[in-house]
Amino acid sequence: MRRYPMLRHHFGAYEWLDDALAVLRSAGLLVRKRRGTVNRVRQHDYFLLEHGRHVARESIRQEPDFGYYVQRVEDVLRLAGERSGSELKKQQYLTREYADTPRGSRIGSISGQARRRLAAFRQQMQAQGAGGV
């Protein structure tokens, strides 16, 4: 289990994904495709290969606690909705910890703030009779 603290960079929270994904790529579990031109890559897309899906399913079968991460990814995708990376980046800067962190420094944890917002959101959903997140 790993946690990757994010650096404040020119345009938001940043961590070189190749560092985090190198293990998956080297094991043939994941592939990266680049979009754009030779001189200007606009986007990197990462795809879990069939062998990667098998390893993920088997890991969760052997260690059910890893299902937590699957749930977190589903939550993030649901919360992000159709917003682009640029839109999400703008939203990041509404958070003081992101906006006030000097470039090149680690962004402080916002877990306490996120937990409070989630609890308020859950209360709101329960009040509306909409189940929970």
Side-chain angles (χ1 to χ4, degrees):
M1 307 243 199
R2 290 205 162 242
R3 180 177 164 274
Y4 285 94
M6 302 299 276
L7 290 177
R8 162 92 193 287
H9 199 55
H10 291 287
F11 306 109
Y14 174 82
E15 189 67 28
W16 187 251
L17 285 178
D18 282 352
D19 292 348
L21 298 175
V23 174
L24 300 175
R25 288 181 67 202
S26 66
L29 306 176
L30 176 95
V31 67
R32 176 183 65 188
K33 301 289 183 184
R34 296 177 179 151
R35 288 198 241 173
T37 65
V38 173
N39 296 326
R40 172 88 165 92
V41 176
R42 288 187 0 252
Q43 182 169 330
H44 296 268
D45 294 318
Y46 296 86
F47 299 95
L48 192 60
L49 299 172
E50 186 57 40
H51 182 60
R53 285 185 196 87
H54 171 75
V55 169
R57 285 185 204 110
E58 186 61 20
S59 296
I60 292 168
R61 188 187 69 71
Q62 290 180 19
E63 293 294 336
D65 288 345
F66 285 133
Y68 167 89
Y69 295 98
V70 174
Q71 184 60 51
R72 295 292 76 79
V73 168
E74 290 170 352
D75 290 346
V76 167
L77 291 172
R78 189 170 52 253
L79 289 169
E82 297 296 319
R83 289 177 284 181
S84 70
S86 295
E87 291 169 319
L88 294 170
K89 176 187 69 182
K90 287 177 188 175
Q91 187 172 348
Q92 277 182 338
Y93 277 93
L94 299 175
T95 304
R96 183 181 47 79
E97 288 81 358
Y98 285 83
D100 293 348
T101 299
R103 195 178 65 176
S105 298
R106 298 275 179 205
I107 298 168
S109 174
I110 62 166
S111 62
Q113 179 182 346
R115 284 186 179 98
R116 287 188 297 277
R117 289 178 65 193
L118 179 59
F121 177 73
R122 284 178 170 158
Q123 282 183 328
Q124 180 184 5
M125 291 294 103
Q126 286 177 345
Q128 295 174 0
V133 171

Coordinates of all heavy atoms in Angstrom, one line a residue, residues 6-8 96-108:
M6 N 1.5 14.8 -3.1 CA 1.6 15.5 -4.3 C 2.4 16.8 -4.2 O 2.4 17.5 -3.1 CB 0.2 15.9 -4.8 CG -0.7 14.7 -5.0 SD -0.1 13.6 -6.3 CE -0.8 14.3 -7.7
L7 N 3.2 17.2 -5.2 CA 3.9 18.4 -5.3 C 3.0 19.5 -5.8 O 2.2 19.3 -6.7 CB 5.1 18.3 -6.1 CG 6.3 17.4 -5.6 CD1 7.4 17.4 -6.7 CD2 6.8 17.9 -4.3
R8 N 3.2 20.8 -5.4 CA 2.6 21.9 -6.0 C 3.5 22.2 -7.2 O 4.7 22.4 -7.1 CB 2.5 23.1 -5.1 CG 2.3 24.4 -5.8 CD 0.9 24.8 -5.9 NE 0.6 25.8 -6.8 CZ 0.8 27.1 -6.6 NH1 1.4 27.5 -5.5 NH2 0.4 28.0 -7.5
R96 N -7.3 26.3 0.2 CA -6.1 27.1 0.6 C -4.8 26.3 0.6 O -3.7 26.8 0.2 CB -6.4 27.6 2.0 CG -5.2 28.5 2.6 CD -5.5 29.0 4.0 NE -6.0 28.0 4.9 CZ -5.1 27.1 5.5 NH1 -3.8 27.2 5.3 NH2 -5.6 26.2 6.3
E97 N -4.9 25.0 1.0 CA -3.6 24.2 1.1 C -3.0 24.1 -0.3 O -1.8 24.0 -0.4 CB -4.0 22.8 1.6 CG -4.2 22.8 3.1 CD -5.7 23.2 3.4 OE1 -6.5 23.5 2.5 OE2 -6.0 23.1 4.6
Y98 N -3.8 24.1 -1.4 CA -3.2 24.0 -2.7 C -2.7 25.4 -3.1 O -1.6 25.5 -3.6 CB -4.3 23.6 -3.7 CG -4.6 22.1 -3.7 CD1 -5.5 21.6 -2.7 CD2 -4.0 21.2 -4.5 CE1 -5.8 20.3 -2.7 CE2 -4.2 19.9 -4.5 CZ -5.1 19.4 -3.6 OH -5.4 18.1 -3.5
A99 N -3.5 26.4 -3.0 CA -3.2 27.7 -3.5 C -2.0 28.4 -2.8 O -1.2 29.1 -3.4 CB -4.4 28.6 -3.4
D100 N -1.9 28.1 -1.5 CA -0.8 28.7 -0.7 C 0.5 28.0 -0.6 O 1.5 28.5 -0.1 CB -1.3 29.0 0.8 CG -2.4 30.0 0.8 OD1 -2.7 30.7 -0.2 OD2 -3.1 30.1 1.9
T101 N 0.5 26.8 -1.2 CA 1.8 26.0 -1.1 C 2.7 26.5 -2.2 O 2.4 26.7 -3.3 CB 1.4 24.5 -1.4 OG1 0.6 24.0 -0.4 CG2 2.7 23.6 -1.4
P102 N 4.0 26.8 -1.7 CA 5.0 27.2 -2.7 C 5.3 26.2 -3.8 O 5.2 25.0 -3.5 CB 6.2 27.5 -1.9 CG 5.7 27.6 -0.5 CD 4.5 26.7 -0.4
R103 N 5.5 26.6 -5.0 CA 5.8 25.7 -6.1 C 7.0 24.8 -5.7 O 7.9 25.3 -5.2 CB 6.0 26.4 -7.4 CG 5.9 25.6 -8.6 CD 6.2 26.3 -9.8 NE 7.5 26.8 -9.8 CZ 8.1 27.5 -10.7 NH1 7.5 27.8 -11.8 NH2 9.4 27.9 -10.6
G104 N 6.8 23.5 -6.0 CA 7.9 22.5 -5.7 C 7.8 21.9 -4.3 O 8.6 21.1 -4.0
S105 N 6.9 22.4 -3.5 CA 6.7 21.9 -2.1 C 5.6 20.9 -2.1 O 4.7 20.9 -2.9 CB 6.4 23.0 -1.2 OG 7.5 23.9 -1.1
R106 N 5.6 20.0 -1.1 CA 4.5 19.1 -0.9 C 3.3 19.8 -0.4 O 3.4 20.6 0.5 CB 4.9 18.0 0.1 CG 6.1 17.1 -0.3 CD 5.7 16.0 -1.2 NE 6.8 15.2 -1.6 CZ 6.9 14.5 -2.6 NH1 5.8 14.4 -3.4 NH2 7.9 13.8 -3.0
I107 N 2.2 19.4 -1.0 CA 0.9 20.0 -0.6 C 0.5 19.3 0.7 O 0.5 18.1 0.8 CB -0.2 19.8 -1.7 CG1 0.3 20.6 -2.9 CG2 -1.5 20.3 -1.2 CD1 -0.5 20.2 -4.1
G108 N 0.1 20.1 1.7 CA -0.4 19.6 3.0 C -1.6 18.7 2.9 O -2.4 18.9 1.9

